[in-house]
């Protein structure tokens, strides 16, 4: 997608098929096949931050379905099938994230609006943008519809362990819950004031393996700050990830909220 505005409806009937992100399809869901085919999708700072552990790399975990409510995956059933295959007992509250990626024409700030339906009771639904930046957290009763807006900043970044900037030419949305259905997404350029944060590893971005549990991974406080802001400003991060604070290497990422 190279236009200024992006809008897509994902419910059955509005979309002929479920879109998956690829070099030829510049918006869509990201699954294991996409990760295996596109190496840059495995650099967590450039993407949603969610990645499958190596022992599941050959598995088809993200099995997306579609109905009149939109596109969804049955996280509980998918996680249960993995643990049954391994001959293990499923730990409680593990989730497969529903990850969507959309190309944008240039670096900058974008206002994202999405609508989803809770196909099951959601005790704690999590919505992330960028690299696991928490945009919304709450509960939804079965059948409830949630419509929210938030702001995403897209900018070049030097990922951890790399020595050059990578262009970040897409934005990422990840929904974590039992069975939420994403049915509408729009992306529009927006201008907002910018405030930069600088700090050490306690503020930095971290990825997470899935099946996901919030307590089973690291997270910097910068990744959660967005949840507590009103979205009138943008808060990019400038983070030092080296152990030697006297000779820092700087990495940048950003997040914001409507």
């Amino acid at each position: 997608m190279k236009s200024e505005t992006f809008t897509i409806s994902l419910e059955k009937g509005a979309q002929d098929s479920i879109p998956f992100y690829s070099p030829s399809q510049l918006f869509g869901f990201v699954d294991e096949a996409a990760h295996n085919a596109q190496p840059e999708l495995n650099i967590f700072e450039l993407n949603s931050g969610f990645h499958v552990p190596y022992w599941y790399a050959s598995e088809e975990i993200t099995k997306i379905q579609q109905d009149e409510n939109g596109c969804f995956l049955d996280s509980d059933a998918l996680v249960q099938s993995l643990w049954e295959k391994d001959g293990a007992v499923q730990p409680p509250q593990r989730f497969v994230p529903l990850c969507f990626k959309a190309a944008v024409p240039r670096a900058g700030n974008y206002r994202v609006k999405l609508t989803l339906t809770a196909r099951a009771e959601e005790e704690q639904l999590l919505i992330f943008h960028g690299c696991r930046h928490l945009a919304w957290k709450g509960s939804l009763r079965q059948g409830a519809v949630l419509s929210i807006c938030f702001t995403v900043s897209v900018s070049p970044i030097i990922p951890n362990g790399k020595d050059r900037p990578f262009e970040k030419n897409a934005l990422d949305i990840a929904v974590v819950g039992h069975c939420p259905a994403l049915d509408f997404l729009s992306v529009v350029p927006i201008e907002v004031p910018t405030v930069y944060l600088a700090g050490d590893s306690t503020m930095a971005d971290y990825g997470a393996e899935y099946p996901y549990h919030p307590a089973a991974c690291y997270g910097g406080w910068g990744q959660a700050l967005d949840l507590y802001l009103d979205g009138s400003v943008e808060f990019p991060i400038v983070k030092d990830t080296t152990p030697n604070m006297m000779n820092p290497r700087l990495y940048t990422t950003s997040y914001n909220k409507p």
Side-chain angles (χ1 to χ4, degrees), residues 198-200 238-251:
D200 59 13
V238 179
K239 61 186 180 185
D240 169 38
T241 60
T242 63
N244 182 1
M245 290 295 289
M246 299 301 294
N247 185 25
R249 294 172 62 193
L250 296 182
Y251 302 86

Side-chain angles (χ1 to χ4, degrees), residues 65-143:
Q65 305 175 61
Q66 188 178 38
D67 65 9
E68 67 278 3
N69 293 308
C71 291
F72 65 94
L73 49 76
D74 187 341
S75 180
D76 293 343
L78 296 176
V79 173
Q80 182 64 36
S81 67
L82 287 177
W83 261 261
E84 288 176 352
K85 185 179 295 186
D86 291 343
V89 177
Q90 176 186 350
Q93 299 300 307
R94 294 268 180 167
F95 298 96
V96 177
L98 183 65
C99 297
F100 192 90
K101 192 176 190 73
V104 292
R106 62 182 61 86
N109 302 317
Y110 294 87
R111 176 63 53 86
V112 174
K113 180 178 180 180
L114 66 81
T115 303
L116 57 80
T117 300
R119 299 181 73 260
E121 193 78 15
E122 299 288 354
E123 301 88 357
Q124 180 173 269
L125 183 71
L126 303 174
I127 299 175
F128 298 91
H129 67 77
C131 183
R132 280 207 313 133
H133 300 150
L134 187 57
W136 193 88
K137 178 180 72 172
S139 60
L140 288 178
R141 67 182 188 280
Q142 185 174 2

